Amino acid sequence: MPTDALLDRFLTGLAPLDPVAVWAHGSLAAGDYREGRSDLDVIAVLDHPVTPRTPWRVALLHARLRDEPLADRLHCTYLTPRTAADAGRRHLTWAHEQLFKRPVTPVTRTELHTFGRVLHGVPPADVLPPVPDGELAAFVVRDQRDYWRREVDRAANWTRDVWVDLGLLTFARATVTLREGRLITKREALDVLPGLGAPGEVVEDIRRRRYDDPAPPAEGWTLRRARLTRDYLGPAIDALVAGS
């Protein structure tokens, strides 16, 4: 299986950096992983502080993997035991075939505590403090209000599959988190969306592309799908935020 082969090579290449732990989260840990369609979301906890040389070593590690199947989908954030507890801290990250810094969000932290998959070393509970009450809910509201609502108004984004998929699935997952205080998978989000009033044609389009092998879209569907998605998401996000 290409996923297992890539993870084995990644762990072997990571060994010289002395990781305390390596964990999978997202679809790979939640049981909803689709090879070739899902990202490989990973957290590595290094045994030493990040120095000016660390980004070079991380970039070299990922460069050596670039010809492996699925390597472009491998995303890894690098923590240390001393920095892991700071939820607002931005950590060295390799994703989308480049290095940058980003925080490990309350959603990711909750995933790790709830169903994180240990690939190496100690479990998340040994390094990461629990997500405080209210922090997860506050984050998902902020994410919908400050990020997704703004992006709905940028029409050019919504002709792309990734925006339609993430926009609707993230909204459904945020809704369930606020109502029930739990995280759900993307598959579960697809089941929830019709009950939230999402356009059925678009939901089925996402389902087919994620779980089946659909035919190419009919002429005009991409633009129609973009309009249906934006017309639904804007008011839906506004109502979610107002009711939170």
Side-chain angles (χ1 to χ4, degrees):
M1 184 176 178
T3 299
D4 292 336
L6 176 61
L7 289 174
D8 286 345
R9 281 212 60 191
F10 172 67
L11 291 172
T12 299
L14 189 60
L17 287 168
D18 299 321
V20 172
V22 183
W23 311 311
H25 61 100
S27 298
L28 186 61
D32 191 31
Y33 177 72
R34 303 291 293 167
E35 189 166 79
R37 302 182 189 186
S38 301
D39 290 331
L40 293 158
D41 296 314
V42 180
I43 301 285
V45 184
L46 305 181
D47 190 32
H48 50 77
V50 173
T51 68
R53 191 164 179 261
T54 306
W56 176 82
R57 297 181 72 184
V58 167
L60 182 61
L61 163 62
H62 288 278
R64 287 171 173 164
L65 297 173
R66 66 176 176 267
D67 293 330
E68 293 289 319
L70 308 177
D72 60 324
R73 294 186 172 274
L74 177 61
H75 302 162
C76 185
T77 295
Y78 294 84
L79 316 181
T80 70
R82 292 181 61 186
T83 63
D86 185 352
R89 188 183 183 104
R90 296 165 66 242
H91 303 275
L92 182 67
T93 299
W94 177 271
H96 310 295
E97 301 184 89
Q98 59 183 318
L99 276 176
F100 55 96
K101 288 186 176 183
R102 68 181 179 192
V104 179
T105 70
V107 170
T108 296
R109 290 168 180 266
T110 302
E111 286 182 352
L112 288 167
H113 278 285
T114 306
F115 52 76
R117 176 180 164 189
V118 177
L119 302 176
H120 168 81
V122 302
D126 285 11
V127 180
L128 293 176
V131 177
D133 290 344
E135 187 174 310
L136 177 62
F139 173 80
V140 299
V141 170
R142 235 177 12 253
D143 186 51
Q144 289 292 303
R145 182 191 66 213
D146 299 343
Y147 180 76
W148 285 105
R149 186 61 183 89
R150 180 191 66 208
E151 294 300 330
V152 169
D153 292 334
R154 297 180 176 174
N157 292 341
W158 299 90
T159 57
R160 298 171 58 195
D161 291 349
V162 65
W163 281 94
V164 172
D165 296 0
L166 284 179
L168 285 170
L169 294 174
T170 302
F171 171 75
R173 297 171 87 180
T175 300
V176 172
T177 295
L178 289 173
R179 288 179 178 177
E180 303 177 23
R182 65 186 181 96
L183 301 179
I184 61 172
T185 66
K186 291 177 179 177
R187 185 185 290 273
E188 290 174 308
L190 283 169
D191 293 337
V192 166
L193 277 166
L196 298 178
E201 294 170 272
V202 180
V203 174
E204 288 309 307
D205 174 74
I206 298 171
R207 192 186 301 276
R208 283 193 299 270
R209 286 186 289 100
R210 183 169 175 80
Y211 297 107
D212 300 318
D213 294 306
E219 184 177 357
W221 167 241
T222 300
L223 289 175
R224 184 165 179 270
R225 183 185 66 180
R227 186 180 70 253
L228 288 168
T229 302
R230 294 177 65 229
D231 286 350
Y232 167 73
L233 265 185
I237 291 173
D238 290 341
L240 181 70
V241 171
S244 64

